[in-house]
Amino acid sequence: MVQRGSLKLLCGLAFIASCVSGQWLNYPTPGIPRLPDGKPNLAAPVPKAADGKPDLSGVWRIALGPYTLNTTNDLKPGDVQPWAEALAEQRRENLGKDSPAAHCLPFGPLFTFDPINPQKIVQTPNLIVILGEQLMYRQIFLDGRSLPADPNPDFMGYSVGHWEGDTLVVTTAGYNDRTWLGRGYPNTESLRTVERFHRGDFGHLEIAETFDDPGAYTRPWTVKVTGNLMPDSDLLEYVCNENNKDLPHLIGKASDLKGVEVAPEILAKYAGVYAGTLPSGLVVRFEIFPSGSELWASLNGGAKRLLTALSNTKFVLPQLEFLEENGEIVALQYSDVGANARLPRVRENR
Amino acid sequence: MIRQFTLISMVLATTVSAQWLNYPTPGIPRLPDGKPNLAAPAPKAADGKPDLSGVWTINYRPYSSNIANDLKPGDVQPWTEALTKQRQQNLGKDDPSTVGCLPFGPRVNFAAVTAPLKIVQTPTLIVILSEDLTYRQIFLDGRDLPADPNPDFMGYSIGHWEGDTLVVATAGYNDRTWLDYAGHPHTESLRTIEQFHRRDFGHLEIAETFEDPKAYAHPWTVKVTGDLMRDSDLLEYVCNENEKDSAHLVGKASDVRSVEVAPEILARYAGAYAGTRGGRPTRFEVYASGRELLFSRDGSARQPLTPVSKTKFVTFSGVQLEFVEENGEIVALQYYGAGFGGPLPRVREGR
């Protein structure tokens, strides 16, 4: 699994030979406005395509946040139909081993919410193609066609788009029901999404996506994320099937893990903020909240999740381990699929 | 493996679900009777270059089965030849793309699974999309090939125009793909040069030169044509969704050779069998030679068939063929291939 970030890390830490192999990622993107010091001017005005529309073309990385591969973060219990809630619970109980990601299947409606793999928008007047680093793509037809009445359900769905002022509005139907919307929450074939893409300035793309699935939820909801332009770079091929070693390790059930109880006074020591950068270059920030005999975590401002204790210092999910030095908790070791980092404790207000 | 032709050939209810594939392609020149004029001149892009954009069905035979079809024995280095034979002995069960669901890499222009291809052209970048959801990028912005590219499946491609021909050079392939169903290998030294020429509105000529000095004695060029697929589009195919091949691909060619079929029975199978396979016409020629049965598909080199029973045979790539008898006559060849199965009636030639 060669990830962009780990390659960069190799460049920094290991032999020069490893570094050279990735040099083509540094090819300067043509047409980028520059500041006097040569750095890209990401606040410059939005470029226009030949047809006068805003040009969304470029390599974009979605900012990490509460919606990272999880569009259901803001849903409340009444928003989810009982069968869908039960299915999500069952999938979490199985620790996500049936997730499409574990089987190297396309993310489908979550394609936009993958912050690890940058996306490249290729815009032509009649067709926009969005390429994913995982060597998958989606097409958005802009030639005026309507959505098909009865589309053949597939992973990426069938997308049509049009411009409303400077905003590209994309409607997608025809998703299959094999993808997850995050945390095990399902979608049915009734799912429709409406995405609004707006390039705020040269370096930033705002995406608001509305999910409407009357087969599983009681109301539509909207999730907003921001894409940051990756200048002078490109996609680095990543093929999930090439080296999928996750599956044999994804065993057990969440309820099996519930054996360990940690004393409240130990949990209290973990309260605080831990932040750092993953090998992929993503900045992550965990807030840890002890509550009696429970420990809760929030990632980058997302909803609080209950952690399960494996020992006095180790918790899941994700795998977190509190590191003690000289009697003080100094860092949080974070381990997830393709991500492993020591996140130092943030000494706030001290 | 859901492919377009299966949808169309199945019941009406299924066909309806694929109706969006019938959206008329804008900008097709038409004859007075309304039919597409495929002999009209190739369209131009806004920058004056030929516009290669469109969905193209590649006539990949016989090179899909054997990329070295036009090569002579000395053109292939001994280790390459030996590895290819070994892969055939294993009945193609190690095929990284069809069985392992990995990208087709340098084989993408010649594989049934990736066809048709959709070309999306902009002045500085061309993207080629495949039905298996993979894509490749061709940079036209004047950059050079990287000196030491990070090897990956699709390689690193740059292109430029020579007159009306797009010339694409690719390097940086990894060595994990095969060049064809026969299992011809390549190394990371592989470089390809493709020449794309849109002869007229409806036809694309592709000449691809393979140069891999570590596996082949000299470069060679393979030529195929693409037919414009009108009023249609790519239909998503996700290999991982329903990969059922690998469990069935067991054994070795040498294991199944226990069956011997009498020469007089084999002689009855000789002849031509033709029909539609994968929505396209196909023709098998079967040759009996003593205790051996050989076949050639669409003019490709002859390959041996391994008998499993008196009527059933397997090809080197694990495809099963069965000769169908009716009233004492061999009337058809039944073909069992992933998504491509079907009977091919015997051609009664010269009778």
Side-chain angles (χ1 to χ4, degrees), chain A residues 56-60 62 111-112 117-124 127-141 156 159 168 170 172 195 197 205 207 209 235, chain B residues 120 127 129 133-135 137:
Chain A
L56 308 184
S57 299
V59 180
W60 300 96
I62 304 302
F111 192 78
T112 312
N117 300 290
Q119 299 166 31
K120 181 170 185 172
I121 299 181
V122 180
Q123 180 171 331
T124 77
L127 177 71
I128 287 178
V129 177
I130 306 185
L131 310 175
E133 205 161 55
Q134 292 186 316
L135 209 54
M136 293 181 191
Y137 65 86
R138 54 183 291 220
Q139 296 191 77
I140 301 164
F141 296 103
M156 306 310 274
S159 299
L168 175 72
V170 178
T172 307
E195 292 159 279
F197 293 86
L205 182 68
I207 307 173
E209 182 160 351
L235 304 180
Chain B
V120 181
V127 176
L129 311 175
L133 275 189
T134 63
Y135 63 85
Q137 297 191 76

Side-chain angles (χ1 to χ4, degrees), chain B residues 176-351:
Chain B
R176 301 197 50 193
T177 46
W178 297 5
L179 293 178
D180 54 21
Y181 293 109
H184 279 101
H186 65 89
T187 72
E188 289 186 357
S189 299
L190 175 67
R191 287 197 173 212
T192 59
I193 307 275
E194 294 157 282
Q195 306 216 358
F196 292 90
H197 179 246
R198 188 167 183 170
R199 189 175 75 217
D200 55 21
F201 199 89
H203 301 93
L204 182 70
E205 293 159 356
I206 306 175
E208 182 161 355
T209 301
F210 292 85
E211 180 175 1
D212 186 351
K214 291 190 176 158
Y216 299 88
H218 61 80
W220 79 102
T221 301
V222 169
K223 291 183 184 175
V224 293
T225 56
D227 299 327
L228 186 69
M229 207 170 158
R230 304 170 306 276
D231 308 337
S232 188
D233 210 294
L234 304 181
L235 185 61
E236 180 185 292
Y237 161 65
V238 174
C239 181
N240 272 9
E241 189 178 13
N242 202 11
E243 200 283 297
K244 291 175 175 168
D245 290 352
S246 51
H248 295 282
L249 298 175
V250 291
K252 290 179 186 262
S254 49
D255 295 342
V256 289
R257 284 241 173 85
S258 50
V259 180
E260 279 219 11
V261 183
E264 55 272 23
I265 295 178
L266 296 180
R268 296 177 61 207
Y269 300 145
Y273 303 81
T276 309
R277 179 178 161 271
R280 289 169 243 256
T282 191
R283 182 185 171 96
F284 281 70
E285 303 263 358
V286 175
Y287 309 90
S289 168
R291 294 186 179 281
E292 273 200 322
L293 201 64
L294 302 155
F295 83 104
S296 154
R297 185 164 65 207
D298 300 314
S300 66
R302 293 184 192 188
Q303 304 280 354
L305 286 168
T306 303
V308 178
S309 72
K310 275 183 190 174
T311 56
K312 281 192 187 172
F313 297 80
V314 292
T315 71
F316 58 82
S317 56
V319 172
Q320 293 182 36
L321 301 175
E322 183 173 13
F323 292 92
V324 182
E325 185 168 337
E326 267 176 28
N327 304 322
E329 270 205 279
I330 306 301
V331 294
L333 181 60
Q334 177 74 34
Y335 185 98
Y336 302 96
F340 290 105
L344 302 171
R346 189 170 199 172
V347 181
R348 302 283 166 195
E349 278 163 322
R351 290 193 185 186

